[in-house]
Amino acid sequence: MAESLATTPIRYSFGADEHLFAEVSDSMSLEAFFKGMAVTRAVERLALEGVLDVCLANASFQIRFDPDRIAPDALLEAVRGAEAQAVAERSLQTRIIEIPVLYNDPWTHETLMRFRDRHQDPASTDLEYAARINGLADVEAFIAAHSGAPWFVSMVGFVAGLPFMFQMVERERQLQVPKYLRPRTDTPKLTLGHGGCFGCIYSVRGAGGYQMFGVTPAPIYDPQQTLNYLKAHMVFFRPGDIVQFKPIDRRAYDQAVADVEEGRFDLRIRPVEFSLDAFLADPVGYPKSLQEVLA
């Protein structure tokens, strides 16, 4: 799979006058992410006049540019040249982050109960439904599976600071749940959501369609940049981050919220090198070695 993806050319198309869209692969995978990362980094190193933003996603990327400063055809030629020269990196210097989560919390529960008419199974909660369709015994078993292996952040978007991530497990162990039949008009801030095989954290309150599993007390988007881990940037997550969820109880959650309000809350963050080849060779043991970095 990695070899065929490496030799398959990226498909490019223009979006109106100011965007170049690049489709790396038809399917989402770590191989596609790493290839997209290699090309976007090569484009960034070119420092092209008129390129305004380079945004990496799961299996694609998009470039926003000023057509008055760089002609679309010239940009496309430069990006294709970067693609030809880019070597898909197989390792990544990144960080692993422990995110505390109050699963089955009262706020997402109250919200999901208001929108049962938009859900596949109005008679159950989101967690109960997710446990059942994934063949797990109960909610506790689902939470154990959800927090049992780390997650890889593949893109940030939808709303400011929202990370999309998928769990670092074998394909047959991927937790999968559909989105709501119709989107909600409300989702609590910092809700842990899940749709398809992707997890997310809703950085702000608003509409949403992912199943809701819990909340974290940890702010991940803050224009005021109050907390230490947000001093460098108001958006905390970036593609390539590794997330380890840690279940906490209500008492620990309330204490963390108080710490946030006092400006003393912090996250456990450790530098780590992620190896794509090591993960593909041992998708069970390798994630455990990453978890040990947080010990």
Side-chain angles (χ1 to χ4, degrees):
M1 180 177 180
E3 291 182 358
S4 62
L5 183 59
T7 57
T8 300
I10 294 173
R11 291 194 292 268
Y12 295 97
S13 58
F14 286 101
D17 297 328
E18 299 181 349
H19 297 87
L20 175 63
F21 177 71
E23 187 177 4
V24 178
S25 173
D26 290 330
S27 60
M28 290 177 279
S29 66
L30 279 174
E31 290 94 336
F33 171 82
F34 271 77
K35 181 175 180 178
M37 181 176 65
V39 177
T40 53
R41 286 184 173 182
V43 170
E44 289 170 343
R45 286 193 293 268
L46 292 176
L48 296 170
E49 174 70 19
V51 170
L52 306 177
D53 292 300
V54 180
C55 183
L56 176 63
N58 298 308
S60 63
F61 61 88
Q62 185 163 272
I63 299 173
R64 184 168 70 96
F65 63 97
D66 182 348
D68 293 327
R69 296 162 62 192
I70 183 169
D73 289 343
L75 172 63
L76 179 57
E77 181 180 359
V79 174
R80 280 181 167 154
E83 176 190 352
Q85 297 298 319
V87 177
E89 303 171 24
R90 308 290 289 184
S91 64
L92 175 67
Q93 294 295 331
T94 184
R95 55 187 182 168
I96 184 167
I97 305 145
E98 185 177 83
I99 298 292
V101 178
L102 177 61
Y103 287 94
N104 210 9
D105 66 283
W107 305 283
T108 59
H109 180 79
E110 185 277 331
T111 303
L112 67 87
M113 294 306 294
R114 285 192 280 121
F115 293 97
R116 295 332 278 163
D117 62 321
R118 307 184 184 202
H119 196 271
Q120 291 85 352
D121 185 359
S124 65
T125 67
D126 290 8
L127 275 168
E128 290 168 344
Y129 173 70
R132 177 169 56 81
I133 67 171
N134 280 279
L136 296 168
D138 50 29
V139 167
E140 288 70 25
F142 182 86
I143 293 172
H146 190 274
S147 59
W151 296 69
F152 191 92
V153 176
S154 56
M155 64 177 287
V156 179
F158 177 60
V159 294
L162 184 151
F164 289 91
M165 60 190 87
F166 56 91
Q167 198 169 27
M168 296 168 58
V169 295
E170 312 96 304
R171 186 177 294 270
E172 59 271 17
R173 289 179 56 209
Q174 288 282 345
L175 299 172
Q176 298 189 52
V177 289
K179 295 190 291 185
Y180 275 44
L181 298 175
R182 290 183 293 126
R184 299 177 304 274
T185 56
D186 190 21
T187 306
K189 179 182 178 180
L190 298 176
T191 288
L192 209 68
H194 199 105
C197 66
F198 279 93
C200 79
I201 301 173
Y202 284 85
S203 51
V204 296
R205 183 179 182 180
Y210 277 19
Q211 308 283 337
M212 298 183 291
F213 298 156
V215 292
T216 176
I220 59 173
Y221 167 69
D222 179 17
Q224 282 70 49
Q225 298 176 259
T226 306
L227 299 172
N228 284 336
Y229 64 87
L230 287 163
K231 294 294 186 184
H233 202 288
M234 69 176 71
V235 172
F236 175 64
F237 283 110
R238 51 183 183 252
D241 279 342
I242 297 171
V243 173
Q244 176 62 52
F245 293 120
K246 177 185 178 182
I248 59 174
D249 59 20
R250 178 62 186 272
R251 181 177 180 180
Y253 175 85
D254 289 343
Q255 181 60 60
V257 169
D259 290 342
V260 169
E261 293 173 350
E262 293 295 325
R264 60 176 181 264
F265 179 82
D266 210 349
L267 287 171
R268 186 188 297 269
I269 305 170
R270 299 289 185 269
V272 69
E273 179 177 2
F274 174 78
S275 168
L276 176 59
D277 291 327
F279 171 69
L280 295 176
D282 186 6
V284 176
Y286 183 68
K288 292 180 180 178
S289 70
L290 296 175
Q291 292 172 318
E292 291 172 358
V293 176
L294 288 169

